Amino acid sequence: MKPTIVLVHGAFAESSSWNGVIEHLLSAGHPVIAAPNPLRSLSGDAAVVSALLSGIDGPVVLVGHSYGGAVASNAAVGHDNVKALVFVAAFAPERGESIFDLSGKFPGSTLGDTLNEVPLADGSVDLYIRQDEFHQQFTADVPAENAALAAATQRPLNTTALNEASGEPAWKTVPSWFIYPGLDHNIPVEAHRFMAERAGSRRSVELPDASHALPSSEPAAVADIILAAAELV
Protein backbone atom coordinates (compact mmCIF):
# COMPACT_ATOMS: atom_id res chain seq x y z
CA MET A 1 0.00 0.00 0.00
CA LYS A 2 1.40 3.39 -0.98
CA PRO A 3 1.07 5.98 1.77
CA THR A 4 -1.70 8.52 1.58
CA ILE A 5 -0.41 12.05 1.10
CA VAL A 6 -2.32 14.63 3.17
CA LEU A 7 -1.71 18.26 2.16
CA VAL A 8 -2.46 21.17 4.52
CA HIS A 9 -2.58 24.63 2.96
CA GLY A 10 -1.50 27.74 4.81
CA ALA A 11 -2.75 31.26 5.34
CA PHE A 12 -3.83 33.44 2.41
CA ALA A 13 -4.36 30.29 0.32
CA GLU A 14 -6.82 27.42 -0.06
CA SER A 15 -6.77 23.78 -1.07
CA SER A 16 -6.55 24.40 -4.82
CA SER A 17 -3.11 25.92 -4.26
CA TRP A 18 -1.92 22.29 -4.19
CA ASN A 19 -3.37 21.39 -7.60
CA GLY A 20 -0.05 21.24 -9.46
CA VAL A 21 1.52 19.11 -6.72
CA ILE A 22 -1.50 16.81 -6.59
CA GLU A 23 -1.19 16.04 -10.30
CA HIS A 24 2.36 14.74 -9.76
CA LEU A 25 1.41 12.71 -6.68
CA LEU A 26 -1.57 11.09 -8.37
CA SER A 27 0.60 10.21 -11.36
CA ALA A 28 2.93 8.43 -8.96
CA GLY A 29 0.02 6.33 -7.69
CA HIS A 30 -0.55 7.87 -4.27
CA PRO A 31 -3.93 8.56 -2.69
CA VAL A 32 -4.07 12.31 -1.96
CA ILE A 33 -6.26 14.44 0.30
CA ALA A 34 -6.07 18.23 0.43
CA ALA A 35 -7.17 18.78 4.02
CA PRO A 36 -9.42 21.63 5.14
CA ASN A 37 -7.63 24.23 7.22
CA PRO A 38 -10.01 26.72 8.85
CA LEU A 39 -7.22 29.25 9.70
CA ARG A 40 -9.04 30.17 12.94
CA SER A 41 -6.80 28.90 15.77
CA LEU A 42 -3.79 26.60 15.84
CA SER A 43 -5.32 24.15 18.29
CA GLY A 44 -8.69 24.17 16.53
CA ASP A 45 -7.20 23.84 13.06
CA ALA A 46 -4.97 20.99 14.23
CA ALA A 47 -8.02 19.24 15.69
CA VAL A 48 -9.76 19.38 12.29
CA VAL A 49 -6.76 17.79 10.55
CA SER A 50 -6.32 15.28 13.38
CA ALA A 51 -9.91 14.12 12.92
CA LEU A 52 -9.23 13.62 9.22
CA LEU A 53 -6.11 11.57 9.98
CA SER A 54 -8.13 9.32 12.29
CA GLY A 55 -10.20 8.14 9.34
CA ILE A 56 -7.26 7.14 7.12
CA ASP A 57 -6.13 3.52 7.06
CA GLY A 58 -2.46 2.85 6.45
CA PRO A 59 0.60 5.09 6.46
CA VAL A 60 0.40 8.84 5.89
CA VAL A 61 2.86 11.47 4.71
CA LEU A 62 1.62 14.76 6.17
CA VAL A 63 2.60 17.92 4.32
CA GLY A 64 2.14 21.53 5.36
CA HIS A 65 2.66 24.81 3.53
CA SER A 66 3.38 28.00 5.49
CA TYR A 67 1.11 28.13 8.58
CA GLY A 68 -0.06 24.66 7.52
CA GLY A 69 3.27 23.30 8.75
CA ALA A 70 2.43 24.32 12.31
CA VAL A 71 -1.03 22.79 11.94
CA ALA A 72 0.38 19.54 10.53
CA SER A 73 3.01 19.22 13.24
CA ASN A 74 0.38 19.64 15.96
CA ALA A 75 -2.22 17.45 14.23
CA ALA A 76 0.15 14.50 13.80
CA VAL A 77 0.72 14.02 17.52
CA GLY A 78 -0.86 10.75 18.64
CA HIS A 79 -1.23 9.34 15.12
CA ASP A 80 1.22 6.49 14.72
CA ASN A 81 0.29 6.14 11.04
CA VAL A 82 1.88 9.52 10.24
CA LYS A 83 5.29 8.31 9.14
CA ALA A 84 6.77 11.49 7.64
CA LEU A 85 6.31 15.25 7.81
CA VAL A 86 7.15 17.54 4.91
CA PHE A 87 7.44 21.27 5.49
CA VAL A 88 6.94 23.37 2.35
CA ALA A 89 7.99 26.97 2.99
CA ALA A 90 6.44 26.17 6.34
CA PHE A 91 6.55 26.92 10.02
CA ALA A 92 7.79 24.18 12.36
CA PRO A 93 7.31 25.71 15.82
CA GLU A 94 8.65 24.36 19.08
CA ARG A 95 6.30 23.88 22.00
CA GLY A 96 5.29 27.33 23.27
CA GLU A 97 6.23 29.17 20.05
CA SER A 98 3.76 30.93 17.79
CA ILE A 99 4.17 31.53 14.08
CA PHE A 100 4.32 35.24 14.92
CA ASP A 101 7.36 34.53 17.11
CA LEU A 102 9.09 32.60 14.34
CA SER A 103 8.33 35.09 11.57
CA GLY A 104 10.05 37.82 13.60
CA LYS A 105 12.95 35.73 14.87
CA PHE A 106 15.12 36.79 11.91
CA PRO A 107 14.91 39.96 9.79
CA GLY A 108 13.43 39.97 6.31
CA SER A 109 9.66 39.47 6.47
CA THR A 110 7.64 42.23 4.81
CA LEU A 111 4.27 40.59 5.35
CA GLY A 112 3.07 42.94 8.08
CA ASP A 113 3.24 45.95 5.79
CA THR A 114 0.91 44.33 3.23
CA LEU A 115 -1.94 43.21 5.50
CA ASN A 116 -5.51 44.42 5.55
CA GLU A 117 -7.23 43.95 8.92
CA VAL A 118 -10.91 43.01 9.26
CA PRO A 119 -12.11 43.19 12.90
CA LEU A 120 -14.58 40.50 13.99
CA ALA A 121 -17.32 40.56 16.61
CA ASP A 122 -15.37 38.25 18.95
CA GLY A 123 -12.53 40.77 19.23
CA SER A 124 -10.16 38.91 16.94
CA VAL A 125 -9.07 40.15 13.52
CA ASP A 126 -8.98 38.45 10.13
CA LEU A 127 -5.86 39.25 8.13
CA TYR A 128 -5.75 39.41 4.32
CA ILE A 129 -2.91 40.41 2.02
CA ARG A 130 -4.01 43.46 0.07
CA GLN A 131 -4.71 42.34 -3.47
CA ASP A 132 -2.48 45.01 -5.03
CA GLU A 133 0.43 43.71 -2.91
CA PHE A 134 -0.29 39.98 -3.25
CA HIS A 135 1.78 39.23 -6.37
CA GLN A 136 5.00 40.73 -5.05
CA GLN A 137 4.53 39.57 -1.48
CA PHE A 138 3.30 36.00 -1.92
CA THR A 139 3.66 34.79 -5.52
CA ALA A 140 6.43 36.81 -7.15
CA ASP A 141 7.50 33.94 -9.44
CA VAL A 142 3.94 33.10 -10.61
CA PRO A 143 2.37 34.67 -13.74
CA ALA A 144 0.41 37.82 -12.96
CA GLU A 145 -2.91 36.34 -14.04
CA ASN A 146 -2.45 33.37 -11.70
CA ALA A 147 -1.40 35.66 -8.87
CA ALA A 148 -4.56 37.73 -9.38
CA LEU A 149 -6.70 34.61 -9.02
CA ALA A 150 -4.84 33.57 -5.88
CA ALA A 151 -5.27 37.07 -4.43
CA ALA A 152 -9.01 37.02 -5.07
CA THR A 153 -9.52 33.55 -3.57
CA GLN A 154 -7.20 33.90 -0.58
CA ARG A 155 -8.61 32.89 2.81
CA PRO A 156 -7.76 35.02 5.82
CA LEU A 157 -5.67 34.09 8.84
CA ASN A 158 -7.23 34.94 12.17
CA THR A 159 -5.02 36.66 14.73
CA THR A 160 -5.78 33.87 17.22
CA ALA A 161 -3.99 31.44 14.90
CA LEU A 162 -1.17 33.92 14.37
CA ASN A 163 -0.46 34.28 18.07
CA GLU A 164 -1.42 30.92 19.59
CA ALA A 165 1.48 28.92 21.01
CA SER A 166 2.20 25.49 19.58
CA GLY A 167 1.71 22.32 21.52
CA GLU A 168 4.29 19.54 21.54
CA PRO A 169 5.43 19.19 17.90
CA ALA A 170 5.39 15.92 16.01
CA TRP A 171 8.71 16.75 14.30
CA LYS A 172 10.46 15.68 17.49
CA THR A 173 9.47 12.07 16.89
CA VAL A 174 8.44 11.87 13.20
CA PRO A 175 11.09 12.18 10.45
CA SER A 176 10.87 15.47 8.58
CA TRP A 177 11.82 16.91 5.20
CA PHE A 178 12.03 20.61 4.34
CA ILE A 179 11.81 22.57 1.10
CA TYR A 180 11.87 26.36 1.17
CA PRO A 181 12.47 29.40 -1.04
CA GLY A 182 15.38 31.80 -0.97
CA LEU A 183 13.14 34.75 -1.83
CA ASP A 184 10.41 34.21 0.75
CA HIS A 185 8.93 37.57 1.81
CA ASN A 186 6.66 36.00 4.43
CA ILE A 187 9.11 33.79 6.34
CA PRO A 188 12.78 34.83 6.28
CA VAL A 189 15.06 32.24 4.73
CA GLU A 190 17.18 32.21 7.88
CA ALA A 191 14.09 31.11 9.80
CA HIS A 192 13.58 28.24 7.36
CA ARG A 193 17.18 27.13 7.77
CA PHE A 194 16.93 27.39 11.56
CA MET A 195 13.72 25.33 11.73
CA ALA A 196 15.06 22.64 9.39
CA GLU A 197 18.24 22.23 11.40
CA ARG A 198 16.40 22.23 14.71
CA ALA A 199 14.00 19.56 13.50
CA GLY A 200 16.84 17.34 12.28
CA SER A 201 15.58 17.44 8.70
CA ARG A 202 16.38 14.27 6.75
CA ARG A 203 16.76 16.40 3.61
CA SER A 204 16.52 20.15 3.11
CA VAL A 205 16.12 21.76 -0.32
CA GLU A 206 16.54 25.51 -0.78
CA LEU A 207 15.26 27.00 -4.04
CA PRO A 208 17.18 30.29 -4.25
CA ASP A 209 14.96 32.13 -6.73
CA ALA A 210 11.55 30.91 -5.56
CA SER A 211 8.77 32.77 -3.75
CA HIS A 212 6.70 31.75 -0.73
CA ALA A 213 4.09 30.14 -3.01
CA LEU A 214 6.09 26.96 -3.65
CA PRO A 215 3.10 24.65 -4.23
CA SER A 216 2.02 26.88 -7.12
CA SER A 217 5.38 28.03 -8.48
CA GLU A 218 7.48 24.86 -8.02
CA PRO A 219 5.00 21.95 -7.95
CA ALA A 220 7.44 19.41 -9.44
CA ALA A 221 10.15 20.18 -6.86
CA VAL A 222 7.61 20.04 -4.04
CA ALA A 223 6.22 16.74 -5.31
CA ASP A 224 9.74 15.32 -5.62
CA ILE A 225 10.57 15.84 -1.95
CA ILE A 226 7.18 14.50 -0.86
CA LEU A 227 7.77 11.38 -2.97
CA ALA A 228 11.27 11.04 -1.54
CA ALA A 229 9.78 11.03 1.96
CA ALA A 230 7.09 8.56 0.87
CA GLU A 231 9.69 6.13 -0.49
CA LEU A 232 11.11 5.72 3.00
CA VAL A 233 7.72 5.04 4.60
Side-chain angles (χ1 to χ4, degrees):
M1 176 185 293
K2 288 196 173 186
T4 298
I5 313 297
V6 176
L7 307 167
V8 184
H9 69 80
F12 320 116
E14 38 89 39
S15 291
S16 69
S17 61
W18 291 109
N19 282 355
V21 176
I22 292 171
E23 290 177 358
H24 290 280
L25 300 177
L26 292 176
S27 294
H30 285 273
V32 182
I33 301 171
N37 187 1
L39 307 177
R40 302 292 86 193
S41 70
L42 180 54
S43 56
D45 299 341
V48 170
V49 176
S50 176
L52 175 66
L53 295 173
S54 295
I56 299 173
D57 293 328
V60 170
V61 175
L62 186 56
V63 184
H65 173 234
S66 192
Y67 165 70
V71 174
S73 186
N74 279 257
V77 173
H79 293 281
D80 293 339
N81 61 329
V82 176
K83 303 300 185 182
L85 292 167
V86 182
F87 294 88
V88 180
F91 289 105
E94 172 63 280
R95 182 180 181 88
E97 282 182 333
S98 69
I99 65 166
F100 180 78
D101 296 332
L102 282 168
S103 62
K105 190 175 183 67
F106 299 92
S109 175
T110 57
L111 178 62
D113 295 334
T114 71
L115 295 176
N116 181 43
E117 299 185 356
V118 178
L120 303 181
D122 64 1
S124 67
V125 174
D126 269 354
L127 303 172
Y128 295 82
I129 298 176
R130 292 193 296 273
Q131 290 195 25
D132 61 338
E133 301 272 6
F134 194 93
H135 192 185
Q136 178 60 32
Q137 178 64 37
F138 200 88
T139 58
D141 55 348
V142 170
E145 58 270 25
N146 293 6
L149 290 173
T153 59
Q154 67 175 296
R155 295 182 53 228
L157 179 71
N158 190 268
T159 48
T160 301
L162 176 68
N163 294 301
E164 185 178 353
S166 174
E168 189 69 13
W171 54 256
K172 288 188 174 181
T173 56
V174 179
S176 61
W177 283 254
F178 283 72
I179 183 169
Y180 51 86
L183 298 180
D184 193 333
H185 299 316
N186 282 23
I187 307 172
V189 68
E190 288 298 332
H192 286 304
R193 294 168 182 157
F194 166 77
M195 290 184 286
E197 182 176 358
R198 180 173 67 178
S201 174
R202 295 288 184 92
R203 178 183 168 199
S204 298
V205 176
E206 182 174 325
L207 303 178
D209 299 321
S211 75
H212 184 69
L214 284 186
S216 298
S217 66
E218 296 286 349
V222 172
D224 283 347
I225 197 166
I226 295 170
L227 293 172
E231 286 179 3
L232 296 181
V233 170

